[in-house]
Amino acid sequence: FLRGVRGARSSLRTQRYQSYLRSQLFLVATLRYADGMTRSDTPPRWLTAAEQEAWRTFVFTRNDLDLVLSADLAPYGLTTGDYEVLVWLSEAEESRMRMCDLAEALQLSPSGLTRRLDGMVKAGLVERASCASDRRVMWAVLTPAGWDKMRDAAPAHVAGVRRHILDPLGPEGVRQLGELFGRIRQHLHNTKDS
């Protein structure tokens, strides 16, 4: 019995330690990013307990959300990255985008986009097409099979977003979430442009 208790305590200590290490890695990465952007002689502003709790909650929740939203799409043979490609192309004029524009929209490098599209092209969901008027331009085009796949998967994805995010927050929480992330997004765009 005692061996089992000691093992459980050891396992709990290991989990807590791993959680602590993950949080420290996120903190170090954040500080390095900030240091690279704003080098100064001022000491770092370490996170308060409340700030650290908010930051950790965000990071771990983001990972948890990625998992459940991915699980909702898995029965359709899609990842969240694949679904994002389908959404962008379905909303684009003529259901196509220049590869460079799609890479920028998805925040991927050109090679990252190539890897993302390879499986989708093989599955017949997207095709690559050259531009008749400019040989330097390649298009990513949503195929009829891609449209069908998106129509099949969209209800499950939307239900997952509602079930895992919107319903637990309620209307006021959804409004606040949009406002908070809107502020952060605006800040990031302002920082990038300056």
Side-chain angles (χ1 to χ4, degrees):
F1 172 76
L2 285 177
R3 221 177 270 144
V5 170
R6 283 192 199 110
R9 284 183 184 159
S10 174
S11 174
L12 185 59
R13 273 198 300 272
T14 301
Q15 289 173 359
R16 285 183 180 159
Y17 183 65
Q18 288 172 344
S19 177
Y20 168 77
L21 286 178
R22 280 196 306 268
S23 69
Q24 293 307 304
L25 287 171
F26 288 125
L27 184 59
V28 167
T30 303
L31 289 172
R32 284 186 180 159
Y33 176 72
D35 183 49
M37 293 183 63
T38 57
R39 296 200 179 273
S40 70
D41 294 331
T42 58
R45 291 175 53 215
W46 298 108
L47 301 182
T48 66
E51 290 168 339
Q52 190 168 34
E53 179 63 26
W55 172 242
R56 285 182 182 181
T57 300
F58 166 75
V59 169
F60 296 141
T61 302
R62 181 190 63 197
N63 293 339
D64 291 343
L65 277 173
D66 283 344
L67 287 173
V68 295
L69 294 175
S70 293
D72 290 339
L73 291 170
Y76 302 93
L78 296 172
T79 66
T80 51
D82 296 339
Y83 188 79
E84 195 175 2
V85 170
L86 296 178
V87 169
W88 277 101
L89 292 178
S90 70
E91 295 176 350
E93 188 176 339
E94 298 182 25
S95 303
R96 68 181 188 171
M97 290 179 72
R98 295 187 318 164
M99 296 283 280
C100 59
D101 295 335
L102 183 57
E104 185 178 339
L106 297 170
Q107 298 181 346
L108 293 172
S109 66
S111 61
L113 178 62
T114 297
R115 286 191 300 276
R116 170 84 47 92
L117 291 184
D118 281 346
M120 299 183 78
V121 168
K122 190 173 181 180
L125 306 176
V126 175
E127 62 184 21
R128 295 181 179 101
S130 54
C131 177
S133 60
D134 188 343
R135 300 178 80 194
R136 296 169 298 173
V137 173
M138 284 293 291
W139 296 96
V141 183
L142 187 61
T143 65
W147 270 108
D148 291 343
K149 181 70 77 171
M150 188 171 159
R151 282 192 200 99
D152 290 344
H157 177 68
V158 170
V161 169
R162 187 167 296 289
R163 183 172 65 254
H164 301 304
I165 304 168
L166 305 179
D167 289 346
L169 291 177
E172 180 59 19
V174 170
R175 186 195 64 74
Q176 290 173 352
L177 182 72
E179 183 181 313
L180 291 171
F181 278 100
R183 253 193 274 169
I184 293 169
R185 189 160 193 246
Q186 187 61 54
H187 164 75
L188 293 174
H189 282 281
N190 293 343
T191 303
K192 188 171 72 171
D193 295 340
S194 61

